[in-house]
Amino acid sequence: MNDKADGNKGKTNESKLKQTKKRYDEVTRLFDRLYEDSLSGRISNDNFNRLIEKYQSEQEQLLKQIETLQNALQEVKDNQLNAVKWADLMAEYVGIQELTAENLNLLIERIEVFDRTETDGEALQAIRICYRFGGYIGERTFKAKVLKHPCRKKGCPLERKENEGEKISFVF
């Protein structure tokens, strides 16, 4: 359904872009005609200046609209291209039996691990996976295990330092 929505959005933006470019060309022609009318004396300087300001501001608005619409069209094209790449990549790994480092690197762009949060005496940690060409498909929250300091003796190679109140870091 997203592909269909992107396609409709792309068609709408294409028609808006075409109309905006057409209007920009019209305003440019009006500029030329206005200049000729001013030179021939068919229009007063006051009217010339007023119309020039009007057409210039309209041209600036049209240029901004054209840029925005072109960016939106490019985004739709990029999304469609990414969907095709994702489908091709998934088709290649349909029967995968073992997850290797190579497979993981081909399928996943990055894994985001968030800070632990404590609620009702339970430590929870969220993990989000960003798939290559597919974006985020979901976020999972897991019960986090509380890790204890590996050695409590003085002179341990892992020295404990306290920073900023409750935060603790280990120096190796």
Side-chain angles (χ1 to χ4, degrees):
M1 285 201 319
N2 281 345
D3 290 341
K4 193 173 187 178
D6 279 349
N8 290 339
K9 192 162 108 177
K11 288 178 185 176
T12 302
N13 285 341
E14 280 179 16
S15 65
K16 284 181 184 177
L17 180 62
K18 191 175 182 179
Q19 290 172 347
T20 306
K21 283 183 175 182
K22 185 177 178 182
R23 178 61 185 160
Y24 181 82
D25 292 341
E26 284 177 34
V27 171
T28 302
R29 280 192 301 277
L30 288 171
F31 252 121
D32 295 342
R33 193 175 303 146
L34 185 62
Y35 184 71
E36 290 171 6
D37 288 347
S38 175
L39 287 177
S40 67
R42 286 183 276 191
I43 188 170
S44 70
N45 279 341
D46 290 339
N47 283 337
F48 175 77
N49 290 331
R50 182 180 55 79
L51 289 170
I52 285 290
E53 285 180 29
K54 177 185 168 192
Y55 290 145
Q56 281 178 333
S57 67
E58 186 177 356
Q59 263 190 331
E60 288 172 10
Q61 289 174 345
L62 289 169
L63 283 174
K64 287 178 186 175
Q65 256 186 313
I66 288 170
E67 183 181 354
T68 302
L69 290 167
Q70 285 175 333
N71 289 341
L73 280 171
Q74 187 60 47
E75 185 178 330
V76 168
K77 287 178 185 176
D78 290 346
N79 286 343
Q80 290 171 341
L81 181 64
N82 282 343
V84 169
K85 287 181 180 179
W86 174 251
D88 290 344
L89 190 61
M90 289 296 102
E92 190 176 325
Y93 289 93
V94 166
I96 192 170
Q97 297 296 317
E98 181 182 349
L99 186 62
T100 64
E102 180 187 349
N103 295 345
L104 191 65
N105 288 328
L106 287 172
L107 298 173
I108 295 177
E109 185 174 319
R110 69 179 173 276
I111 299 173
E112 297 173 359
V113 179
F114 296 92
D115 290 335
R116 277 188 231 147
T117 58
E118 286 195 37
T119 52
D120 299 328
E122 221 176 36
L124 300 174
Q125 191 161 19
I127 297 175
R128 187 167 44 189
I129 299 173
C130 181
Y131 293 92
R132 198 170 299 282
F133 311 119
Y136 298 107
I137 294 182
E139 185 174 298
R140 296 280 315 261
T141 303
F142 298 92
K143 288 182 184 178
K145 293 183 179 178
V146 178
L147 300 176
K148 296 185 180 182
H149 193 280
C151 69
R152 297 276 178 202
K153 301 177 202 171
K154 286 189 177 188
C156 178
L158 298 175
E159 183 182 317
R160 191 173 178 169
K161 288 189 174 183
E162 293 196 24
N163 298 324
E164 301 174 23
E166 293 183 16
K167 291 184 180 178
I168 298 174
S169 62
F170 295 98
V171 180
F172 294 92

